[in-house]
């Protein structure tokens, strides 16, 4: 697998590659879905390459070939053993012992730490000394989606590189190149559903998000018109990704609350639901709306933590509460 960059990362890359001789620890941070992983992988390949040219890894030397095969012995990764878990202090100690040895290819050693916020205080402290005075030619590349969670002692030892999301124009252009079947307007919708991240938009598209969204919006309209029951819709939606549904309903509840307080109809979210929210919000009893939001937030946490729940019962519970927002 060769490393690659996304088109919106050109200037970011120039700035990073231009500083590649300056430090032995870098911290790349920014929102999830901005392409930090691609950037850090490309940087690692560049640092390991024996004959970089034009600020790029050559792709031909023995180091580049080992990198591409995923078997470069001087590229090490410090990450949680299980996704969502912490980075163990035992793994940090093992790594620290390893980087004390000479590099096997005679060049740099590169350590990717991802996500850096998964380090516990103990793990971070165990790494501090190596970060400050790395053995031999070791370069640390830390990646963080949650910059504010990192210890100041870690941040202060790294060259910081922020990785922002691309502009909406860049994102739409890239999405359209990947999905020529979509119109610019559809790309904008998916991008909004993905909170501005083109990479997350790409993931949503593989889950057929536009069709799911249309079905859900139509279902909500039918629910308020008493044309569908909560139990019918729950059965019809049982196979949809629950985290997506809970994201949308949480957002809709929040938009309604805001509209109820501000009556500012320019902030009602995507146009497909704006009319419905504007109709329901003034009629929804405030207490019911607040209780519904609490229920949604609580159950969204369960969904995100993958607590085993029966999808149809969970959705029916949601829709019964949702229907009650519009008293008959
Ligand atoms: Zn090379």
């Amino acid at each position: 697998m060769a490393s690659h960059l996304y088109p919106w990362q050109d200037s970011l890359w120039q700035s990073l590659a231009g500083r590649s001789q300056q430090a032995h620890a870098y911290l790349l941070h920014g929102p999830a879905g901005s392409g930090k992983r691609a950037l850090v992988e490309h940087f690692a390949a560049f640092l390991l390459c024996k004959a970089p040219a034009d600020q790029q890894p050559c792709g031909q030397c023995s180091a580049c070939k080992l990198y591409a095969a995923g078997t470069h012995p001087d590229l090490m990764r410090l990450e949680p053993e299980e996704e969502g878990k912490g980075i163990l202090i035992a793994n940090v100690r093992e790594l620290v012992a390893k980087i004390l040895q000479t590099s096997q290819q005679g060049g740099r050693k590169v350590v990717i730490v991802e996500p850096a916020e998964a380090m516990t205080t103990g793990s971070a402290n165990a790494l501090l000394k190596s970060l400050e005075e790395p053995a031999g030619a070791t370069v640390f590349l830390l990646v963080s989606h949650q910059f504010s969670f990192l210890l100041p002692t870690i941040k202060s030892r790294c060259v910081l590189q922020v990785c922002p999301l691309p502009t909406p124009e860049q994102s739409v252009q890239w999405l359209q190149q990947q999905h020529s079947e979509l119109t610019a307007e559809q790309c904008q919708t998916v991008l909004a559903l993905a909170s501005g991240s083109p990479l997350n938009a790409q993931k949503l598209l593989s889950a057929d998000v536009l069709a799911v969204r249309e079905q859900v919006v139509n279902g909500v309209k039918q629910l308020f018109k008493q044309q569908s029951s909560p139990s019918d819709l729950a059965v019809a939606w049982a196979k949809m990704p629950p985290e997506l549904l809970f994201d949308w309903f949480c957002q809709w509840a929040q938009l309604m609350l805001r509209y109820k307080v501000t009556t500012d109809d320019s902030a009602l979210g995507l146009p497909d639901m704006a009319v419905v929210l504007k109709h329901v919000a003034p009629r929804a009893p405030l207490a019911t709306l607040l209780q519904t939001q609490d229920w949604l937030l609580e159950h969204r946490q369960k969904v995100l933590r993958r607590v085993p729940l029966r999808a149809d019962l969970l959705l029916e519970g949601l829709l019964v509460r949702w229907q009650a927002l519009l008293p008959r």
Side-chain angles (χ1 to χ4, degrees), residues 45 48-52 57-65:
L48 292 168
C49 175
K50 292 181 170 171
C58 74
Q60 305 294 324
C61 70
S62 59
C64 282
K65 284 183 178 155

Side-chain angles (χ1 to χ4, degrees), residues 2-227:
S3 61
H4 72 286
L5 294 172
Y6 293 104
W8 61 86
Q9 295 180 315
D10 281 353
S11 63
L12 211 55
W13 173 251
Q14 295 306 328
S15 128
L16 203 52
R19 289 186 292 167
S20 64
Q21 304 299 328
Q22 291 173 9
H24 48 255
Y26 297 82
L27 171 57
L28 282 65
H29 64 99
S34 55
K36 294 187 294 301
R37 181 169 297 152
L39 195 65
V40 81
E41 289 291 334
H42 198 67
F43 198 29
F46 178 65
L47 292 169
L48 292 168
C49 175
K50 292 181 170 171
D54 292 336
Q55 307 268 53
Q56 296 292 337
C58 74
Q60 305 294 324
C61 70
S62 59
C64 282
K65 284 183 178 155
L66 285 168
Y67 171 83
T71 52
H72 199 299
D74 298 319
L75 174 59
M76 289 157 266
R77 294 171 193 274
L78 187 58
E79 48 199 12
E81 287 183 350
E82 254 182 274
E83 205 186 315
K85 296 275 164 67
I87 291 176
L88 305 176
I89 193 163
N91 293 354
V92 177
R93 293 203 172 121
E94 200 180 316
L95 176 98
V96 168
K98 226 165 140 186
I99 55 179
L100 288 173
Q101 300 163 6
T102 30
S103 87
Q104 298 201 31
Q105 287 288 306
R108 288 191 181 93
K109 284 169 283 182
V110 175
V111 181
I112 296 178
V113 185
E114 187 192 6
E117 60 269 19
M119 284 190 285
T120 60
T121 308
S123 306
N125 285 333
L127 192 68
L128 275 184
K129 198 165 161 25
S130 302
L131 270 185
E132 205 160 48
E133 305 164 27
T138 304
V139 181
F140 285 90
L141 305 179
L142 282 68
V143 181
S144 171
H145 319 292
Q146 303 272 10
F147 188 66
S148 57
F149 290 5
L150 294 176
L151 290 175
T153 44
I154 292 281
K155 294 180 196 171
S156 66
R157 282 165 174 78
C158 298
V159 168
L160 304 181
Q161 174 67 59
V162 64
C163 305
L165 288 171
T167 64
E169 292 74 25
Q170 286 172 320
S171 300
V172 167
Q173 193 186 13
W174 182 77
L175 274 177
Q176 272 202 295
Q177 281 163 3
Q178 312 298 310
H179 294 270
S180 52
E181 76 281 9
L182 298 180
T183 64
E185 201 185 347
Q186 285 174 316
C187 288
Q188 279 161 2
T189 304
V190 183
L191 195 63
L193 294 174
S195 308
S197 156
L199 300 179
N200 289 341
Q202 175 94 313
K203 278 188 214 152
L204 288 179
L205 282 168
S206 63
D208 211 5
V209 71
L210 289 172
V212 170
R213 174 83 178 191
E214 196 181 344
Q215 203 186 335
V216 170
V217 168
N218 286 336
V220 170
K221 289 178 183 165
Q222 287 171 355
L223 183 74
F224 284 135
K225 289 183 194 156
Q226 316 283 341
Q227 290 166 349

